[in-house]
Amino acid sequence: MESEVISQLASLAHARRLAVFRLLMRRYPDLLPAGEIAQVLNLPASSLSACLAHLRQAGLVTQVRSGTSLLYAAQTEAAAQLVDYLASDCCRGRPEQCLPSPLPKESDMADRKRNVLFICTGNSARSIFAETLMRDLAGDRFEVFSAGTKPQSDLNPFAIELLAAKGHDTTGLRAKNVDEFRGPDAPDMDFVFTVCDTAANEECPPWPGQPMTGHWGQPDPVKATGTDAEKRLAFQQVYGAMRNRIKAFTALPIETLDRVSLQNQIDEIAKTED
């Protein structure tokens, strides 16, 4: 185990390899082609190839073939074992002294609503769908928010039209910058979900309090082209996919799951067929 840990630490002790691994962790469980990784991180193909080979050798990245393409994903089990080794062996069972902030205790969450934040780029459609759906499906258990890394000034009219047609109350919905939820007076988040690939690709500081995170990426319906009917269909498809994921999440027995089990469930939901 020690030699494996040394190999993994050596692999991550390199700026480019660390950037690749962090991107794959943010996008997990997505499988990314090398070309997309190179584009997001602005890496030459030769440099990326070397990074991926080193990370695969250390057991931190997996590679699968799809047709003529090679796709890559983070090996989360290996990452978890590495963190566990550092906390239990190097820290000698004192993770509260090694980690930047203590893990939230389930007992601290037992008698209050969980705070959930959905993030996308524009905060005009996908994250607005997610915020509205979770509030209507489980507002008695969750305080729900949404924000954008580069929010639009107005919500998309097709998104608002669809929500109203589905019977949702759109009063009070607005586009917000994610910075609103980073200040000292912001609510402490229990869950943070990215719902677009662009937002997940962005390098962001870790959230205080170590909330559970997930990536439930959906295509951007705002970019749909064609007739208004074709555009409405794109919004309908994203709405339906988001509703499936949120229904699955709100059905989880959160109070009885430990963090590892709950994270596994969140990642599995991301694989839900649209």
Side-chain angles (χ1 to χ4, degrees):
M1 178 65 183
E2 186 165 320
S3 60
E4 183 178 347
V5 167
I6 292 173
S7 173
Q8 291 171 343
L9 292 175
S11 184
L12 295 175
H14 182 281
R16 287 180 171 177
R17 293 196 293 264
L18 180 60
V20 171
F21 181 72
R22 293 173 73 179
L23 171 62
L24 292 176
M25 285 297 294
R26 292 195 301 275
R27 289 287 301 274
Y28 187 83
D30 287 359
L31 294 164
L32 303 188
E36 183 175 349
I37 300 172
Q39 182 179 13
V40 171
L41 299 178
N42 194 27
L43 286 177
S46 58
S47 297
L48 176 61
S49 178
C51 290
L52 289 169
H54 207 293
L55 289 165
R56 286 184 60 215
Q57 186 175 7
L60 293 170
V61 166
T62 61
Q63 173 188 282
V64 297
R65 180 175 291 278
S66 177
T68 59
S69 300
L70 293 175
L71 306 177
Y72 298 89
Q75 174 51 271
T76 56
E77 291 184 5
Q81 291 172 358
L82 174 61
V83 172
D84 183 66
Y85 177 86
L86 293 175
S88 61
D89 190 280
C90 296
C91 295
R92 294 299 179 189
R94 302 181 183 88
E96 71 281 356
Q97 296 179 12
C98 296
L99 297 175
S101 58
L103 294 172
K105 299 178 180 178
E106 284 77 4
S107 59
D108 294 339
M109 300 167 57
D111 300 321
R112 67 171 178 83
K113 290 185 178 181
R114 274 80 165 168
N115 292 325
V116 183
L117 176 63
F118 291 99
I119 301 174
C120 67
T121 305
N123 192 211
S124 69
R126 289 166 290 184
S127 53
I128 291 294
F129 283 168
E131 175 186 356
T132 304
L133 281 162
M134 182 167 283
R135 184 175 292 128
D136 285 1
L137 289 171
D140 58 329
R141 297 165 53 208
F142 299 96
E143 291 288 352
V144 195
F145 310 90
S146 70
T149 57
K150 299 174 183 176
Q152 302 293 321
S153 56
D154 298 304
L155 301 184
N156 185 278
F158 285 102
I160 296 302
E161 176 189 272
L162 176 58
L163 289 174
K166 296 290 186 182
H168 299 289
D169 182 7
T170 60
T171 305
L173 292 176
R174 64 183 179 89
K176 303 167 289 298
N177 193 294
V178 72
D179 289 341
E180 288 191 24
F181 300 94
R182 292 192 178 278
D185 298 326
D188 293 329
M189 293 300 162
D190 299 298
F191 300 93
V192 177
F193 298 102
T194 49
V195 293
C196 79
D197 294 343
T198 303
N201 288 343
E202 295 179 11
E203 187 68 60
C204 297
W207 287 90
Q210 296 181 335
M212 316 253 353
T213 62
H215 176 56
W216 295 346
Q218 287 295 308
D220 188 358
V222 176
K223 295 180 179 179
T225 58
T227 65
D228 282 356
E230 290 170 327
K231 293 177 182 178
R232 289 188 175 95
L233 177 59
F235 280 85
Q236 175 67 51
Q237 290 171 334
V238 171
Y239 172 91
M242 199 63 66
R243 188 174 189 272
N244 288 342
R245 285 161 172 75
I246 289 173
K247 283 185 67 177
F249 175 75
T250 56
L252 293 175
I254 292 176
E255 295 79 4
T256 64
L257 295 174
D258 58 37
R259 285 182 63 92
V260 173
S261 299
L262 182 53
Q263 186 65 65
N264 288 338
Q265 291 293 329
I266 290 171
D267 293 338
E268 283 301 312
I269 289 172
K271 304 174 185 177
T272 302
E273 292 294 332
D274 296 343

